[in-house]
Amino acid sequence: LSRVGKKKKKTEVVRTILRMTYLIAALDITWLFVQISITPYLAKRLGFDTLWFGYLQTMVGVIQLLGGPIFGRFADLFGARMALALSSSASVVYFVLLAMADSVPMLFIHKLPAIFMHALPGTQMVVADLTEPEKRADALAKLGLCFGFGMITGSSLGGTLSTRYGETFTACMSAAGSLLSLALVLKFIPKHTKKRTSQEEADKRTAKGSVFNLGEITRLMKFPGVAKTFTVKIISGLPGGVFQVMFSIIAMDFFQLKAEQTGYLMAYIGVVQMVIQGGVIGRLTARFSEDTLLLLSVGLTSLIGLTQIVMTNVAQFCFILIPMMLSLSLFNVITDSMLTKSVPPTDTGTMLGMCASVQSLLRTIGPTIGGFLYQNYGVSSFGCIQFGVNSLVFIYLLRSSRGRTEAHKE
């Protein structure tokens, strides 16, 4: 009976940690989208054009590209609490600097703390460590539910506050929110979330390893299936990543939306994402294999590219958005799940940091590519590239799947 009681107590503790992890993720994403909703208008007020705004976005991408894998290794070596506390502290500094940004140099300087701002991969690591492999995709999808909530709340809040009280007040509110996130991390997230044997291995590596050991980071690419999945994640995600990076400019220039209207549109995107992550992804992962779902997401993404070619107004975009969010959510959840299962439990943080660096890579090269395409060929060019690239990736994955099937038969 005592063993049963201990097991129930342990299960309840794990559930509490997971609930608080989801809350921390939702709050962090809320402050992120508050910032996203005000930065384009602040940049425009300071005299930025599309090209210079692209440079600003590229700088953020470079900073987080460098910080992602290092943050993930830091989390593996020193634990989830310290890693998430570092991320929340960096967010406080980030928003304080944003509140002080009254010139072009300050707008660039305020982006520097973003090198440590990786709350999403940090919370993903906690979820991956505390869930069984067969339930991991569904658990990671619930973090997408938090993302949708944060997008709705942050976009609406950012648009409303900036319109009524200005960008400085809105940034100060975000700084206060990040302080709340920091308090929750210190109160509810345990020092270590990995299983005892995994943690003992991590402690041994802490004693003889460094956070900045690139060999320890790149060795993960040698595990079976990692290099292939990682390459597909980069190539297939590039066209959609370019569109996402340029979306604030598209909303402002192409759709002719004001800050408050953009906030409502982002809220709609968040609602769609919440419905898909909360009610669709879990059911799909329970019924179909990850290889099948990866193939489905890439094929659907290529078809969405065709619809983007003929898109001319915000109403059409709202219609296209539903299959777009399904393919995007499915693709990100499945690739993250596949990659974390392909490496030892001691390296889930580093692997998720590398996954986050893929998004950073897209934000690094995306603004330059997106700015060039938008200025010279218009919004339809994003759809053309998305269709072409993902069609090729789909053919590659289909042939690879057939090859494995034939090999099993033999």
Side-chain angles (χ1 to χ4, degrees), residues 2-49:
S2 61
R3 287 183 179 179
V4 173
K6 286 180 180 178
K7 189 174 181 180
K8 285 184 177 179
K9 187 177 180 181
K10 185 179 178 181
T11 303
E12 195 58 40
V13 169
V14 169
R15 285 177 181 171
T16 301
I17 294 169
L18 286 174
R19 289 190 193 110
M20 296 312 300
T21 301
Y22 291 135
L23 176 60
I24 290 164
L27 289 173
D28 183 81
I29 291 160
T30 297
W31 317 134
L32 172 67
F33 274 94
V34 167
Q35 178 267 143
I36 287 173
S37 67
I38 65 172
T39 300
Y41 299 93
L42 177 60
K44 192 173 183 179
R45 183 164 61 79
L46 293 175
F48 277 53
D49 58 13

Side-chain angles (χ1 to χ4, degrees), residues 180-248:
L180 173 62
S181 298
L182 176 60
L184 291 174
V185 167
L186 296 176
K187 175 70 176 175
F188 293 102
I189 302 300
K191 185 178 179 181
H192 295 292
T193 53
K194 298 182 185 298
K195 292 179 182 178
R196 184 173 295 177
T197 53
S198 299
Q199 191 55 53
E200 286 171 357
E201 291 177 25
D203 289 341
K204 289 178 183 177
R205 283 163 51 192
T206 303
K208 62 181 181 180
S210 166
V211 173
F212 302 99
N213 189 333
L214 293 179
E216 282 292 309
I217 295 172
T218 56
R219 73 181 174 82
L220 299 185
M221 300 301 290
K222 298 176 183 177
F223 285 97
V226 171
K228 174 191 169 184
T229 306
F230 204 73
T231 303
V232 168
K233 191 175 182 70
I234 294 172
I235 296 174
S236 181
L238 177 60
V242 171
F243 181 81
Q244 289 174 53
V245 167
M246 295 300 297
F247 182 73
S248 57

Side-chain angles (χ1 to χ4, degrees), residues 145-371:
L145 195 65
C146 301
F147 192 95
F149 173 83
M151 184 184 293
I152 295 168
T153 310
S155 301
S156 303
L157 193 64
T160 303
L161 289 178
S162 62
T163 300
R164 296 182 181 180
Y165 304 107
E167 290 91 357
T168 301
F169 177 82
T170 307
C172 289
M173 287 290 293
S174 300
S178 295
L179 275 175
L180 173 62
S181 298
L182 176 60
L184 291 174
V185 167
L186 296 176
K187 175 70 176 175
F188 293 102
I189 302 300
K191 185 178 179 181
H192 295 292
T193 53
K194 298 182 185 298
K195 292 179 182 178
R196 184 173 295 177
T197 53
S198 299
Q199 191 55 53
E200 286 171 357
E201 291 177 25
D203 289 341
K204 289 178 183 177
R205 283 163 51 192
T206 303
K208 62 181 181 180
S210 166
V211 173
F212 302 99
N213 189 333
L214 293 179
E216 282 292 309
I217 295 172
T218 56
R219 73 181 174 82
L220 299 185
M221 300 301 290
K222 298 176 183 177
F223 285 97
V226 171
K228 174 191 169 184
T229 306
F230 204 73
T231 303
V232 168
K233 191 175 182 70
I234 294 172
I235 296 174
S236 181
L238 177 60
V242 171
F243 181 81
Q244 289 174 53
V245 167
M246 295 300 297
F247 182 73
S248 57
I249 297 297
I250 292 169
M252 190 166 55
D253 288 348
F254 186 72
F255 294 145
Q256 296 291 304
L257 300 181
K258 296 178 181 178
E260 200 164 356
Q261 293 172 322
T262 302
Y264 293 141
L265 179 59
M266 296 299 287
Y268 168 71
I269 295 172
V271 169
V272 173
Q273 178 156 357
M274 286 181 69
V275 171
I276 289 171
Q277 297 274 17
V280 179
I281 301 295
R283 294 179 182 181
L284 289 175
T285 56
R287 291 188 178 186
F288 303 101
S289 69
E290 290 182 337
D291 287 334
T292 300
L293 293 176
L294 179 60
L295 197 63
L296 171 65
S297 65
V298 172
L300 186 56
T301 301
S302 67
L303 294 177
I304 291 163
L306 285 176
T307 64
Q308 284 181 293
I309 295 173
V310 297
M311 180 181 70
T312 57
N313 56 57
V314 70
Q316 292 174 352
F317 173 74
C318 289
F319 180 75
I320 294 169
L321 181 72
I322 298 172
M324 181 188 292
M325 291 308 299
L326 174 61
S327 64
L328 180 65
S329 300
L330 198 56
F331 180 78
N332 287 332
V333 168
I334 293 302
T335 51
D336 286 353
S337 177
M338 291 173 74
L339 287 167
T340 55
K341 290 177 184 177
S342 300
V343 299
T346 50
D347 294 308
T348 53
T350 306
M351 190 73 256
L352 287 165
M354 292 175 67
C355 290
S357 72
V358 172
Q359 301 301 319
S360 301
L361 175 64
L362 300 180
R363 286 197 297 271
T364 302
I365 61 178
T368 304
I369 297 172

